[in-house]
Amino acid sequence: MRTQVGIVGAGPAGLMLSHLLHLRGIESVVLESRSRDHVEHRVRAGVLEQGSVDLLCRAGLGERLLREGLRHEGIELRFAGESHRVPMTELTGRAITVYGQQEVVKDLIAARLAAGGRILFEADAVRLAGLDSDSPVVHFRRDGREEELRCDFVAGCDGFHGVSRRAAPEGALTTYERTYPFAWLGVLAAAAPAVTELVYAHHDRGFALYSMRSPEISRLYLQVAPDEDVAAWPDERIWAELRTRLETVPGWSLTEGSILEKSVTPMRSFVVEPMRWKRLFLAGDAVHIVPPTGAKGMNLALADVALLADAFAGWYDRGRADLLAGYSATALRRVWRAQHFSWWMTSMLHRLDRDDPYETKVQTATLRYVATSRAYATSLAENYVGMPEV
């Protein structure tokens, strides 16, 4: 099989890159190890920055997003028995939209297939070869057979555990990483949200987040130990802990319902530099991960491939090599800005050391500064909604 850009991974990064290349007249083939049903129902991120919404709309993918997505113009911070709203749109002129990653993936798959795009599901990439040549090869397994995809470039969009990043030779990439001493227990509940905007709660027992996916579905998170066993959290225990951490405002109460899904996600910060090696270009979780507190993961992936699509277009349309050469340095400026913001939000809101009262006092002082300083609130808001340029 032959194409111009071979894309490994059918998450938001790989599918969006394929779509953007199609709009520029550039051929691609997407290889995905899982089934279509799996990737279309994999619950992940759900907050889109203003820039991500604009990108999807420019690419002709905004119809369902604008109809079903939930536009939010602020977020709420709860701490020390107080509640404070950060009016993001008032402060920045921009907003966020709550629209699940799986919905973005459904829209992208439908658009690619309608345009005759090639997405090979249950095609497991096992090895990349010839990355230092002008004709790299992706070796993959499908229906029990070994096959090859030859291309001009490989885009590795296959996540943290994929084969793409590991295809670079030892010593070619540098890893920066931090592991946090907690995880998130995330639940999807058939319960109408009791709030209209996301609620971030700092509590003595740990962080909690109240989010949503639709007018009927709530998405909620609890800070737990990194080795927490999800089986130790029956539904009633989850609701009791959510009530304790979130019902700190007089007169406000949770809306409860049946829990549809529950899982534990460890927290880490991770960046690899550079984001390319020879004819291999890395994007999304394959090359950087942020703790989800700042809602940056999917947005960074979309920003990566927007840059990468422009760079490939420069190469194929005008013979320019400078955009491909500069892809990593340009993308990393946004990546590190998002890394800092995600670390800052995480450090401000989570219990990092239950035996350190000094730390708790500093966190409360930081939260109160956000709540009372327009300048500090603006800094949080402009990072949260996404800065146009970094």
Side-chain angles (χ1 to χ4, degrees), residues 3 67 146 200 287:
T3 193
R67 185 179 71 248
E146 298 284 344
Y200 287 79
V287 71

Side-chain angles (χ1 to χ4, degrees), residues 9 14 33 60 69 87 90 137 174 180 199 206 218 232 243 248 259 273 290 305 309 315 327 353 369 375:
S33 62
E90 176 188 322
V137 183
T174 301
Y180 296 88
V199 175
S218 295
R243 289 194 296 270
T248 57
I259 292 180
E273 295 188 11
V290 289
V305 297
W315 171 271
Y327 161 69
D353 185 344
Y369 188 28

